[in-house]
Structure formats: structure tokens, C-alpha cells
Amino acid sequence: MSYTRLTRDEIARRIAQDIPEGSYVNLGIGMPTLVGNHLPKDREIFLHSENGILGMGPAPAPGEEDADLINAGKSP
């Protein structure tokens, strides 16, 4: 049997599909933060983080990053 290896982004997209409406999701450092980039905009899903939240959601588009706003993994 042969398997296609998924990228980190593809894995995050797949996880986001499985999160039901109204869920509270704790996104950790590293790969889990990618999940926020793929959450459906038509579902209400609450994101939680131990290190505080400020405008948490998808990563900013290239060129729209704010160096003063970073996550625990040091990403904008």
C-alpha cells in the first residue's frame, strides 16, 4: 500500500475540517497554530491560548505582519 505524505499545511487543513460548530479549541505552539488559518469562516469556533489572545485567527497576509504582535512561537 502506498501513501502520499501530507505537508504540515495540509494536515492543519484536514484538522480544521473536523472541528465542529461552537467548539472551544486550544491551539498550542508550532503546527497547531496553522489550524487557525483553515477554519471555515461560516462556523463559530472559539480559539484559546495560554499566553493571551489579541486578534487571534488566521496568520496575517504577507506584508501585513506587525512585528509587535507575535505568538508564543515568535510568528506574527
Side-chain angles (χ1 to χ4, degrees):
M1 187 178 291
S2 128
Y3 294 97
T4 302
R5 186 178 177 112
L6 298 177
T7 65
R8 293 165 54 91
D9 201 54
E10 290 169 329
I11 293 168
R13 184 180 305 114
R14 179 65 184 90
I15 291 167
Q17 291 173 0
D18 284 344
I19 300 173
E21 172 81 22
S23 292
Y24 287 81
V25 181
N26 186 326
L27 299 179
I29 297 171
M31 192 169 145
T33 60
L34 294 176
V35 172
N37 294 340
H38 300 286
L39 293 173
K41 297 194 184 324
D42 62 337
R43 277 195 250 161
E44 186 172 45
I45 297 171
F46 302 92
L47 301 179
H48 172 266
S49 174
E50 289 90 7
N51 63 326
I53 296 177
L54 178 59
M56 191 168 179
E64 294 184 16
E65 302 92 344
D66 183 336
D68 293 325
L69 300 175
I70 60 171
N71 65 22
K74 306 285 191 259
S75 299

